[in-house]
Amino acid sequence: MERKYIQFACSLDCFDGCAFTAEVLDGEVVRIEGNQEHPLTKGYVCKKGAQHLERMYHPERILRPLKKVGTKWQEISWDDALEEISDKLKDIRSKDNTLSVLHYYDSGYGGISKMVDKMFFNYYGSITVPRGSLCWGAGIAAQQYDFGESRGHHPRDHLHAKTILLWGRNPHNTNIHLMEYLTQAKKQGTKIVLIDPIQTKSAQVATEHIGVKPGTDGALALGMAHCLIEQDMVDHEFIHNHVIGYENFKDYVKTFTPERVADITGVDADTIYRLAAYYGKDKPSCIILGYGLQRYSNGGNTVRCIDALGAITGNIGISGGGVNYANRLLADYIGGEVPKSAATGKKHRSFSRAFFGQYLEEENEFPIKAVFVTKANPLVQGPNLERMIRAFKKIEYKVVFDMFMTDTGKQADLFIPCTHVMEEDDIFLSSMFTPYLNYSQKAVEPRAGIIGEYEFFRALAKKMDLEQYPDIEKDEFLRRAVKPLEDAFQITFEDLKKTFFTIPYREIAWSERNFSTPSGKYELYSRQAEQDGLSPLPQYIPAMEGAIEYPLRLITPHPKDSLHSQHFAFKNKMPNVYINEATANKYGLKQGDFAKITTKQGSLLVKVEIDNNVGIDLLMIYEGWWHQSGSVNLLTEALISDMGEQAAYYDCFCNIKPEAL
Ligand SMILES: Nc1nc2c(c(=O)[nH]1)N[C@H]1C(S)=C(S)[C@@H](COP(=O)(O)OP(=O)(O)OC[C@H]3O[C@@H](n4cnc5c(=O)[nH]c(N)nc54)[C@H](O)[C@@H]3O)O[C@H]1N2
Ligand SMILES: Nc1nc2c(c(=O)[nH]1)N[C@H]1C(S)=C(S)[C@@H](COP(=O)(O)OP(=O)(O)OC[C@H]3O[C@@H](n4cnc5c(=O)[nH]c(N)nc54)[C@H](O)[C@@H]3O)O[C@H]1N2
Ligand SMILES: [Mo]
């Protein structure tokens, strides 16, 4: 019997980036557990991560390429699958135009080696690709205007803050290792204020919860800025040396009196004063932003208004400070073959992700003939699903790469199974939170001889004579990808495999105060934003309201026990709607009732769960439910934010009625 222990990384699109150990016995993984040596995740992993083993050996995992014949799936060989795709792509190139090929991808798997999908199409020709984001786009665009890019502090630096505003983030569900730091901070006496329309379980680590009205955080931040300026709690030296546009901003916030802001946000004037004083007086103060508050049509400006608080109080570039939204760190040092392929001068045509369905139905110069989906489940996760599903079905030829027969997979003409993270070597990094690079080792051979995406696209490129496509082993591909990191930090590829590398001097974001904006300063007044047709100053754009027929707002945030649709896969339940008792009474609903929610887009059957942590006139359902249970995105509208082309999922207005089943 041969027993060995292999280090691998979590492949899920998450803040934390956990490290694992797999126990392998005679070529089979028998157990996995968190790797205690990882400096951030320290052996503690979540329920989703703990399911990696179950998912690898799951009886419903697809192991062979499947071709749809009539309405039935038929297994075909890997060679036949390659041949079929190659013929199809050649055919489109010769008879139509390569722009008729659409590649839709997302972040369903975070390893570098599976970025070869993009590389393949870069060498194939100019195709159609998505732009914008379903995830974090508005906030990223906002911080680009303000700072030049999104950078975060090392989480242990949050322990130096005297006040932490946890704003629109729910780490109890989405970012468990942040919870540990916040627990410790609270023990030390740090004030932690949770700002969220829902008193989520993250309130356990907070000293106070503020139930702001959805979509009004921009006004709340401007109200705080008003108080800070009026009470002279600003950092004049920081403003003088490092900020552009303070005078204009000061003028703009004059009208955002706490009384007016209280009307907009539902947060009373005294609380706004108190919050401002917590944040501005007792430095250092830190803001930890989530992605929930930017899934609105005003989401980008909301983040700019909040960033401004950091700039006027000088809580930037100092230990215990920062407006922590994302953490772009290692990504700047990743190079190699994929970026090289992007530089071949191909002019891809693009469409906004949130409008995928609409785009497929619109008249285009070169209509879409073939869609390739990798690392994504758009027929569950995209907005306005009914339209998306209808449009997707009409496309002549669809190929989906996944581990399981998802709702998107079911509509494909060809399904290509993919490898599991424990079946291949790879490198993981994230720009969300964790500052560490994780090298993930192959623990076992792929089940049933599955050909992973790395080898699949390599074979496809060979078949199609894409001469520029690098015909190299995976190890060499990964080595080239991290070459810039090796060069910049005098670390070898072999060392990167063994250590959890991070950039030592980047614990505090912007400590050198050399911002990546055009002026090199923090830009309260952004000419770039102005050129892009936006307000140069952070602006409060009034939150949307529903029409009379749809008086309630529905928000659909992230569940604790599933990463989007991935861990709902084998459950056939109906989603719960979480609703405040007062709101439920108004609509004649009781605990356990069935109800029907209706929006302009569609309707959904749900089970009522009374929860007074949810704000008044607000409904909450977790995202991720499959079609068999009822997907929340049947209700959401395809809308985008003011900047970054972010899907504004939470500007969703509905009605609810009891339903007898
Ligand atoms: N378990 C688990 N972990 C995950 C994920 C998952 O699906 N499951 N997904 C991962 C991914 S891809 C992402 S993007 C992140 C997201 O991580 P988070 O940003 O933490 O999560 P969200 O659920 O998107 O939203 C966070 C909070 O924003 C609140 N919110 C909604 N509207 C508003 C508003 O107008 N103002 C304020 N102040 N708050 C508001 C919601 O009530 C919610 O509690 O999580 C990652 N981690
Ligand atoms: N209503 C509503 N909708 C939302 C959100 C919301 O808050 N509310 N959040 C949005 C956010 S933040 C995000 S990030 C998106 C996420 O949208 P998606 O990324 O489309 O969502 P997932 O359900 O994670 O789907 C990823 C798929 O990749 C597959 N996969 C895993 N490993 C591999 C692999 O190695 N290769 C391939 N080819 N596939 C693999 C998984 O099995 C899964 O089916 O959803 C968005 N949708
Ligand atoms: Mo996301």
Side-chain angles (χ1 to χ4, degrees):
M1 280 214 301
E2 195 203 0
R3 191 185 298 271
K4 51 182 186 169
Y5 295 88
I6 301 289
Q7 313 300 323
F8 75 98
C10 184
S11 55
L12 300 175
D13 177 20
C14 175
F15 290 108
D16 298 48
C18 294
F20 281 81
T21 305
E23 184 180 337
V24 186
L25 192 64
D26 286 339
E28 190 172 330
V29 181
V30 291
R31 204 166 61 95
I32 60 170
E33 63 178 11
N35 180 347
Q36 305 196 348
E37 277 157 35
H38 190 277
L40 178 71
T41 64
K42 295 179 191 145
Y44 174 50
V45 298
C46 74
K47 223 167 147 177
K48 310 176 293 316
Q51 286 177 51
H52 280 306
L53 181 58
E54 180 193 332
R55 280 169 70 78
M56 181 162 71
Y57 292 125
H58 202 286
E60 290 184 44
R61 188 168 159 205
I62 309 288
L63 303 175
R64 288 181 187 79
L66 299 174
K67 183 182 163 72
K68 203 173 273 161
V69 182
T71 53
K72 291 230 157 53
W73 288 114
Q74 201 171 66
E75 280 186 10
I76 61 169
S77 71
W78 286 92
D79 271 347
D80 288 348
L82 283 162
E83 190 78 27
E84 177 174 320
I85 296 177
S86 163
D87 287 349
K88 187 76 195 173
L89 287 173
K90 282 184 188 160
D91 204 45
I92 292 178
R93 191 168 55 191
S94 62
K95 294 200 194 116
D96 300 295
N97 188 298
T98 53
L99 288 173
S100 293
V101 174
L102 186 151
H103 175 211
Y104 184 90
Y105 55 88
D106 215 316
S107 312
Y109 172 97
I112 293 179
S113 82
K114 292 198 182 182
M115 285 163 67
V116 291
D117 50 356
K118 282 190 188 171
M119 178 163 82
F120 172 82
F121 288 108
N122 283 339
Y123 288 129
Y124 165 68
S126 300
I127 60 155
T128 303
V129 293
R131 48 163 216 276
S133 173
L134 300 183
C135 177
W136 64 353
I140 293 287
Q143 294 214 319
Q144 256 158 20
Y145 291 129
D146 295 335
F147 298 92
E149 67 180 356
S150 280
R151 290 189 189 171
H153 289 225
H154 191 289
R156 71 176 152 241
D157 183 65
H158 301 333
L159 293 173
H160 297 131
K162 294 202 177 114
T163 299
I164 296 175
L165 307 183
L166 184 59
W167 206 327
R169 175 129 144 198
N170 185 12
H172 172 82
N173 283 13
T174 63
N175 188 188
I176 55 171
H177 296 91
L178 174 60
M179 287 297 274
E180 290 171 28
Y181 288 97
L182 295 176
T183 305
Q184 204 179 330
K186 188 178 169 186
K187 269 196 205 134
Q188 283 172 205
T190 309
K191 287 191 277 294
I192 304 179
V193 185
L194 172 68
I195 307 175
D196 194 311
I198 298 171
Q199 187 174 322
T200 61
K201 291 214 172 107
S202 297
Q204 288 164 1
V205 291
T207 47
E208 183 174 352
H209 166 245
I210 291 180
V212 66
K213 276 192 202 154
T216 68
D217 304 80
L220 180 59
L222 295 176
M224 287 168 67
H226 175 101
C227 301
L228 289 164
I229 292 169
E230 192 188 70
Q231 310 262 314
D232 199 24
M233 290 186 283
V234 297
D235 184 335
H236 293 285
E237 197 189 318
F238 184 85
I239 292 170
H240 181 261
N241 293 325
H242 306 295
V243 177
I244 278 187
Y246 178 65
E247 290 305 321
N248 306 58
F249 182 70
K250 191 173 156 186
D251 278 349
Y252 177 60
V253 301
K254 271 195 185 124
T255 60
F256 284 86
T257 60
E259 292 70 27
R260 178 181 164 216
V261 169
D263 275 349
I264 301 174
T265 59
V267 180
D268 63 71
D270 288 346
T271 304
I272 298 170
Y273 262 114
R274 194 161 44 79
L275 259 188
Y278 280 176
Y279 185 72
K281 223 185 206 163
D282 210 9
K283 272 164 76 174
S285 296
C286 145
I287 294 176
I288 303 175
L289 276 174
Y291 303 165
L293 55 59
Q294 50 94 59
R295 295 200 188 99
Y296 289 89
S297 45
N298 63 4
N301 269 286
T302 297
V303 173
R304 287 202 71 202
C305 292
I306 297 172
D307 286 347
L309 296 172
I312 63 174
T313 57
N315 274 306
I316 305 286
I318 59 171
S319 176
V323 186
N324 298 274
Y325 177 74
N327 192 13
R328 192 172 166 85
L329 184 73
L330 298 163
D332 287 341
Y333 299 93
I334 301 300
E337 292 296 337
V338 179
K340 192 171 144 199
S341 73
T344 51
K346 297 284 177 348
K347 288 222 163 29
H348 296 315
R349 176 172 74 174
S350 67
F351 64 93
S352 201
R353 258 174 210 281
F355 300 129
F356 188 15
Q358 185 177 326
Y359 184 80
L360 290 177
E361 285 195 328
E362 272 169 7
E363 296 246 331
N364 276 315
E365 193 187 353
F366 300 104
I368 301 302
K369 296 258 161 84
V371 175
F372 290 79
V373 178
T374 54
K375 299 172 281 188
N377 190 8
L379 266 55
V380 172
Q381 294 304 123
N384 196 354
L385 265 193
E386 218 175 275
R387 179 165 197 177
M388 170 90 91
I389 296 166
R390 183 179 73 215
F392 192 82
K393 279 185 179 169
K394 281 193 276 196
I395 300 300
E396 208 176 283
Y397 186 70
K398 302 158 298 274
V399 185
V400 173
F401 293 71
D402 208 305
M403 256 190 309
F404 292 99
M405 188 52 76
T406 61
D407 287 321
T408 307
K410 283 178 190 152
Q411 301 303 334
D413 299 288
L414 185 63
F415 183 98
I416 308 291
C418 67
T419 43
H420 180 276
V421 63
M422 282 190 268
E423 297 169 338
E424 293 207 51
D425 275 322
D426 214 336
I427 291 175
F428 289 84
L429 54 106
S430 158
S431 298
M432 285 170 81
F433 171 78
T434 175
Y436 296 101
L437 183 129
N438 271 0
Y439 189 91
S440 189
Q441 289 173 34
K442 172 174 170 173
V444 286
E445 290 304 321
R447 275 181 73 186
I450 288 177
I451 302 180
E453 278 136 303
Y454 186 81
E455 293 303 339
F456 189 89
F457 282 106
R458 186 177 168 195
L460 190 60
K462 232 183 201 164
K463 211 176 221 352
M464 296 186 63
D465 302 319
L466 303 182
E467 277 162 16
Q468 287 171 291
Y469 192 98
D471 187 17
I472 53 176
E473 294 303 314
K474 161 99 77 66
D475 195 61
E476 179 58 20
F477 171 88
L478 292 175
R479 187 187 296 273
R480 289 183 195 177
V482 295
K483 182 81 174 40
L485 203 60
E486 282 186 285
D487 293 347
F489 302 100
Q490 287 84 50
I491 181 161
T492 66
F493 183 51
E494 296 313 315
D495 287 340
L496 285 175
K497 287 184 177 178
K498 285 182 238 131
T499 54
F500 300 107
F501 179 77
T502 190
I503 300 174
Y505 54 81
R506 279 278 296 272
E507 294 236 339
I508 298 165
W510 309 112
S511 55
E512 74 302 344
R513 293 174 177 70
N514 185 10
F515 298 100
S516 322
T517 52
S519 63
K521 296 199 173 189
Y522 180 97
E523 299 197 353
L524 269 177
Y525 191 98
S526 164
R527 289 210 182 284
Q528 189 62 56
E530 196 172 23
Q531 279 165 22
D532 295 341
L534 297 159
S535 158
L537 287 172
Q539 186 191 25
Y540 175 61
I541 301 171
M544 276 176 71
E545 281 175 34
I548 298 170
E549 325 81 280
Y550 303 116
L552 299 168
R553 187 189 281 274
L554 170 69
I555 60 179
T556 47
H558 294 205
K560 186 168 179 64
D561 294 337
S562 179
L563 197 104
H564 313 300
S565 67
Q566 299 192 38
H567 304 87
F568 282 133
F570 315 101
K571 293 176 190 149
N572 196 6
K573 284 195 305 197
M574 184 188 282
N576 283 341
V577 62
Y578 296 83
I579 179 169
N580 187 296
E581 194 166 10
T583 313
N585 286 341
K586 212 156 79 183
Y587 290 84
L589 298 165
K590 296 185 309 298
Q591 169 68 26
D593 278 357
F594 296 108
K596 186 176 186 174
I597 300 181
T598 312
T599 66
K600 244 185 352 193
Q601 275 49 246
S603 63
L604 186 70
L605 288 177
V606 292
K607 203 163 163 210
V608 173
E609 188 67 39
I610 303 290
D611 183 349
N612 289 333
N613 294 316
V614 177
I616 298 285
D617 290 343
L618 190 61
L619 304 182
M620 193 272 275
I621 309 176
Y622 289 120
E623 51 115 23
W625 295 94
W626 286 41
H627 295 179
Q628 63 189 16
S629 318
S631 297
V632 293
N633 284 318
L634 290 167
L635 299 172
T636 54
E637 190 176 352
L639 281 178
I640 52 168
S641 57
D642 48 351
M643 52 186 84
E645 298 186 72
Q646 165 65 37
Y649 290 105
Y650 305 166
D651 272 331
C652 176
F653 298 94
C654 64
N655 210 328
I656 187 166
K657 283 198 177 75
E659 176 87 8
L661 279 192

